[in-house]
Amino acid sequence: QVQLVESGGGSVQTGGTLRLSCTASGYTLSRQCLGWFRHGPGKERKGVATYDRDGGLMYADSVKGRFTISTDNAKNTLYLQMNSLKPEDTGMYYCAADPCAGMGWLPWEADYKYWGQGTQVTVSS
């Protein structure tokens, strides 16, 4: 059974820092398409940062220079380092994984095969 479990969310003030973790069980994250997605209040779910199968990175314009996606294959864990947080970063953050066979990458709007349960991030002004 595949499980993705996020942790690390919380409440911070503007300018604060959080690091989200997503640990996988029953599934190896190496050489997969991976991503972090945000579902803000009253908004649609949107991609924040993704990896393609070859390690290529993609960031939403709103988080470039502030957020960093990374992996630790030994721990089978995906991370999202979030610096200089803003109120508009508030939302439920989900990690996702997909074998992405074929092209080896997925567009922002793709429905990844596996999703975590989410971790809440709240940034106050």
Side-chain angles (χ1 to χ4, degrees):
Q1 182 182 359
V2 176
Q3 276 194 313
L4 301 179
V5 180
E6 300 99 332
S7 61
S11 296
V12 298
Q13 292 188 325
T14 297
T17 296
L18 287 172
R19 188 174 83 152
L20 306 184
S21 299
C22 170
T23 300
S25 59
Y27 191 76
T28 299
L29 296 182
S30 177
R31 296 280 294 169
Q32 306 293 299
C33 284
L34 306 172
W36 285 99
F37 296 80
R38 176 173 65 216
H39 196 165
K43 300 178 182 178
E44 294 182 350
R45 185 183 70 200
K46 287 195 172 182
V48 174
T50 63
Y51 269 116
D52 64 31
R53 199 173 55 196
D54 295 322
L57 304 178
M58 192 160 62
Y59 291 97
D61 287 343
S62 62
V63 306
K64 283 179 182 176
R66 300 188 298 121
F67 289 12
T68 304
I69 188 173
S70 64
T71 60
D72 185 332
N73 289 336
K75 295 182 179 179
N76 209 29
T77 298
L78 176 70
Y79 299 101
L80 184 67
Q81 178 68 42
M82 303 189 296
N83 299 331
S84 302
L85 282 160
K86 304 176 181 180
E88 51 263 43
D89 296 321
T90 294
M92 187 71 80
Y93 282 72
Y94 298 89
C95 65
D98 192 288
C100 59
M103 293 176 64
W105 68 277
L106 293 173
W108 283 123
E109 65 275 12
D111 190 13
Y112 283 55
K113 184 172 184 179
Y114 302 112
W115 292 84
Q117 83 290 347
T119 186
Q120 178 67 35
V121 171
T122 302
V123 185
S124 58
S125 57

